[in-house]
Amino acid sequence: MAKIAFILLCHKDPDAIIKQAQSLTAVGDYIAIHFDKRSGVAAFEKIRKALKDNPHVVFARRIKCGWGEWSLVRATLNAVEAAVDAFPRATHFYMVSGDCMAIKSAQFAHSFLDQRDCDYIESFDYFQSDWIKTGWKAERLIYRHWFNERTQKSLFYWMFAAQKRLGLTRKIPGDMEVMIGSQWWCLRRRTIEWILDFTRRRRDVVRFFSTTWIPDETYFQTLVRHIVPAHEIECRTLTFLMFTDYGMPVTFYNDHYEMLLSQDYLFARKISPEAGDLRRRLGVLYAAEGAKFRISNEGRSLFQFLTERGRTGRRFSPRFWETESSLGRERELLIVICKKWHVAKRLVERIGQMTNIPVIEYLFNEESCPLPDLGGIQSTMGKRHRHRRSLMRMLYDYYGSDRLVICLDPGSLDLLEDFARDRAMTRMLELECHFSDEYLIGHAVRSGLAGDSTPRDTLYRLLPTVRNDLLHESDRIRDAKFDNHGNMREIDPREAHVHALAEFLSVPEAQAREIVAIDHLFAD
């Protein structure tokens, strides 16, 4: 019966690594762990301490790894060597990462591997296949790459340009036909032992691949095809993974559980670190006995179908942001507009405390604005602006409310106009503050008009321009003649503030009076 030694390359999240190792070894399988030496010693010690009494776990000699470098292959070889020595009963060696998890039970996986005596590895002709969709092809091999493309970009491309200019190409080892494929393979013990022996004997081949670019996609793929008969190679990976049109791995979340189990694979990558429920269910699944799986294998075709239809708005169910491109007729967006962000934040904090309306601060102006995890759409300011209505709809759904208060800077006229055109009810409350000379100087520094070392007299010459610029922003808002636009002026009496806020929030004046009952609302 098959016994699997997992080869785990990882560099983060020690708690997840510990759980992964415990889950995979609980049924009698083994695991060899290489934890990137670039990662902290404390994280590695935490893993080693938690697993030190587990006889089915071994740790490989650690080295520093970098994407696209030979170091990833060397780390894999270190883990393989440790597994071969420590686990003589292992029949198969399965390459995984910290983002991989089993989508079948161990019972199913062992039975699957017992059915056919072969190696599972993608191994396509490097030059004839279309495995590489875009970018360099021959350049990965015929030029030498000594530097890391991500961390030493200038040196990487300078060295490439210099070799190209001088014609310093090299030949591929004569008896080798370079192959390419996914790094997530499952190889038999005999094949692994042959690879280790070949690596020790053929230093010329190791030297060649050690200066190629992204050798983890070519080294094992080439050697397996070189030393194993073709009829003993199943040219596929047993790890289910998909890529977007942008070449980024598709990430799986809690609601993908049933879909993952129906794929004709043993593992899946990448499982989101945030998908706690999915990770828990898959961890339990590996130790399950008698589990039945209905293989439909529709994952890739479904993903392609949905993404293609999504571009033209022809999905089987419309995306929420495609429906009328609106926040929703039944919803209400309440926008507090203020140049002094701290004043608006004080007000919306009070609104949040005194009402049941969810409040969000300057989400379109301040990168650090606290937001819930909405699948990445909220992660950068650029995404928030590009997908503004999508983001707002997701926030309504997240808070389970049809009313939402947000803050906007007066300079964000394009956002105000966009939201005002929406079919949702949009109300605006502009807080008009007094701008002292000291505030204007601080604003000039914050906006890059001046620096900490700018002479004081120069700053004072800037003040009229800065003041007029702020007044111009307010004038533009007035000129837009927005419906449902009110004002709270710092110079107005408290009762005027109460009336403006009550109308803005559609609440009784008594409640509005409680909200504005703070003497320092407009204070700097």
Side-chain angles (χ1 to χ4, degrees), residues 6 20 44 47 71 101 142 185 216 271 277 378 447 452 510:
F6 293 99
Q20 186 180 25
F44 176 66
I47 297 172
S71 56
M101 290 202 73
I142 64 175
W185 38 254
D216 52 311
I271 308 299
D277 188 54
Q378 83 296 338
S447 59
D452 294 333

Side-chain angles (χ1 to χ4, degrees), residues 25-234:
T25 59
V27 294
D29 286 326
Y30 312 102
I31 191 167
I33 300 174
H34 180 277
F35 194 74
D36 193 341
K37 200 171 183 178
R38 293 186 190 276
S39 301
V41 174
F44 176 66
E45 288 302 322
K46 183 176 184 179
I47 297 172
R48 189 164 65 174
K49 183 179 179 180
L51 301 174
K52 64 182 177 65
D53 295 327
N54 190 329
H56 289 229
V57 177
V58 69
F59 293 94
R61 180 173 61 87
R62 299 172 67 201
I63 63 171
K64 294 180 179 179
C65 296
W67 184 87
E69 292 181 2
W70 170 255
S71 56
L72 287 176
V73 178
R74 184 66 263 175
T76 304
L77 290 169
N78 288 354
V80 166
E81 289 171 350
V84 167
D85 292 341
F87 310 128
R89 296 183 60 198
T91 61
H92 293 76
F93 295 76
Y94 196 127
M95 180 81 174
V96 293
S97 75
D99 295 323
C100 296
M101 290 202 73
I103 56 174
K104 299 291 186 295
S105 64
Q107 188 179 62
F108 182 97
H110 296 156
S111 175
F112 179 92
L113 294 175
D114 284 336
Q115 289 174 12
R116 186 179 174 195
D117 185 23
C118 68
D119 297 303
Y120 294 91
I121 183 170
E122 284 188 351
S123 182
F124 302 102
D125 187 285
Y126 188 92
F127 293 99
Q128 299 301 317
S129 72
D130 64 346
W131 202 86
I132 298 176
K133 303 297 183 184
T134 59
W136 287 356
K137 199 165 191 177
E139 292 87 346
R140 291 193 188 187
L141 305 178
I142 64 175
Y143 296 108
R144 296 167 178 83
H145 304 279
W146 287 290
F147 301 101
N148 187 285
E149 192 269 342
R150 293 190 174 179
T151 61
Q152 301 167 295
K153 192 176 289 288
S154 297
L155 285 171
F156 179 89
Y157 287 106
W158 179 86
M159 182 60 70
F160 168 73
Q163 293 180 80
K164 188 174 182 180
R165 185 169 58 253
L166 297 172
L168 298 178
T169 59
R170 60 175 174 174
K171 293 183 178 180
I172 297 169
D175 61 335
M176 304 298 295
E177 182 180 359
V178 179
M179 312 299 285
I180 191 168
S182 167
Q183 69 183 106
W184 312 110
W185 38 254
C186 179
L187 304 177
R188 295 168 296 174
R189 186 181 193 91
R190 182 183 64 180
T191 302
I192 285 292
E193 290 173 344
W194 284 348
I195 289 174
L196 294 178
D197 179 65
F198 185 96
T199 300
R200 286 188 287 266
R201 290 187 296 103
R202 292 295 301 272
R203 306 308 299 170
D204 60 320
V205 174
V206 173
R207 281 194 300 271
F208 172 78
F209 278 100
S210 66
T211 51
T212 59
W213 190 41
I214 320 181
D216 52 311
E217 294 178 350
T218 54
Y219 186 71
F220 290 94
Q221 296 77 1
T222 300
L223 264 59
V224 169
R225 187 67 67 172
H226 183 74
I227 61 181
V228 176
H231 68 274
E232 295 183 17
I233 300 173
E234 185 73 28

Side-chain angles (χ1 to χ4, degrees), residues 368-382:
S368 60
C369 174
L371 289 171
D373 186 355
L374 302 173
I377 194 173
Q378 83 296 338
S379 59
T380 67
M381 194 61 71

